Amino acid sequence: PRKGEYLIVKAPQLQLKQIIKGPHFLIPLGEDRYMVGATFNRVDTSLEPTQKAREELRKALSKMIRCDYTVVDQKVGLRPTVKDRRPILGNLSVPNSYILNGLGTRGLMAAPTLAEQLFKYIEQGIPLEREIAIDRFS
């Protein structure tokens, strides 16, 4: 597992409708609230938020936006990770059950393309690339 932290902020002046992605992301949640994240910690697996992560995210946010905001909450999650750091797509051992997982820190950007590849695999029988196929582990 890898620990990640993110902030929920309120920024009424921002009026953002789309996701912004750089070293960190900014996702509109509605009602002037936004998710800012996330950190990546390979060592600490506690479920306690840290001041270090809060400051890292506030610093990143100040480079992304130019308006006032208030931190509403700070969340912690543990991400499952894949040994080879590649996505996992394909058919599970249960009939008509498929997986699209292991997207990692760039998953937000890769998900649409990977979902399309999985769709073509399921519907058209187009093979998945070996580096993303689940059967690379068998």
Side-chain angles (χ1 to χ4, degrees):
R2 299 291 184 249
K3 180 178 183 176
E5 298 184 53
Y6 63 92
L7 300 177
I8 304 295
V9 300
K10 188 161 184 112
Q13 297 172 327
L14 191 53
Q15 299 297 305
L16 185 66
K17 302 279 189 248
Q18 67 276 3
I19 294 170
I20 295 177
K21 177 69 178 106
H24 293 83
F25 60 76
L26 181 62
I27 300 175
L29 300 175
E31 299 177 2
D32 299 323
R33 295 178 318 118
Y34 301 87
M35 180 186 294
V36 182
T39 61
F40 190 84
N41 192 321
R42 291 179 171 89
V43 179
D44 178 12
T45 56
S46 73
L47 294 176
E48 299 301 318
T50 64
Q51 187 63 34
K52 181 181 178 187
R54 186 182 193 97
E55 291 307 315
E56 176 185 333
L57 293 169
R58 289 186 70 155
K59 186 176 179 180
L61 184 58
S62 71
K63 292 179 181 177
M64 297 170 80
I65 66 172
R66 299 279 185 243
C67 65
D68 293 334
Y69 66 90
T70 304
V71 176
V72 176
D73 201 1
Q74 183 172 350
K75 303 280 188 178
V76 175
L78 295 178
R79 302 175 180 101
T81 58
V82 180
K83 197 172 219 171
D84 65 2
R85 299 178 50 98
R86 298 274 184 213
I88 301 171
L89 281 74
N91 187 263
L92 299 172
S93 57
V94 178
N96 295 316
S97 295
Y98 299 87
I99 186 169
L100 190 161
N101 207 335
L103 302 186
T105 57
R106 298 291 176 208
L108 184 68
M109 304 302 282
T113 300
L114 293 170
E116 181 180 22
Q117 288 181 37
L118 182 60
F119 174 80
K120 288 178 179 179
Y121 169 76
I122 296 167
E123 292 296 320
Q124 300 169 8
I126 297 173
L128 295 166
E129 297 171 29
R130 179 81 180 144
E131 61 196 23
I132 63 171
I134 191 170
D135 59 11
R136 73 182 184 270
F137 297 110
S138 51

